[in-house]
Amino acid sequence: MGFGFPAGGMPMAAAPAAGAPAAAEAAAPAEEKTDFNIKLDGFDAASKIKVIKEVRAITDLGLKEAKELVEGAPAVLRKGVKKEEAEQIKAKLEAAGAKIVLE
């Protein structure tokens, strides 16, 4: 139509401004995360047995299942764990020789 407006009749500059508050709201929940997934990224080969023992204690799995889980790394060990408990578990596993990521 030649007036610089799209077919809807609104100027194009108004659309990006509406998206800015939504981006700020999306960032806020990420800071308040309270539940974490504990992910085994890998382990030191020399301490494999120690890592398997810790995984068994944390997950209540049998020896075979824990061994398969450790050997299949990366793998999620537990889901929906509170921050304090996740930090404690991470410390125990890292002391045993595991590489842990909290997601």
Side-chain angles (χ1 to χ4, degrees):
M1 297 215 184
F3 294 111
F5 295 111
M10 297 263 312
M12 289 301 287
E25 290 174 17
E31 295 171 9
E32 299 173 14
K33 186 172 183 178
T34 57
D35 292 339
F36 294 87
N37 294 337
I38 302 171
K39 182 179 178 184
L40 173 66
D41 255 5
F43 58 92
D44 180 25
S47 59
K48 180 178 174 181
I49 294 171
K50 292 179 189 175
V51 173
I52 292 171
K53 286 181 180 180
E54 282 299 324
V55 168
R56 284 188 68 199
I58 291 164
T59 61
D60 295 327
L61 292 174
L63 179 60
K64 180 183 176 193
E65 293 83 5
K67 182 178 182 266
E68 290 172 352
L69 186 64
V70 169
E71 290 174 345
V76 176
L77 302 177
R78 289 189 54 190
K79 295 181 180 181
V81 180
K82 298 291 180 198
K83 183 177 181 178
E84 295 80 21
E85 184 181 1
E87 291 291 339
Q88 291 172 355
I89 292 170
K90 180 181 178 184
K92 286 180 185 178
L93 286 165
E94 286 178 342
K99 296 174 186 139
I100 302 296
V101 176
L102 298 179
E103 299 179 330

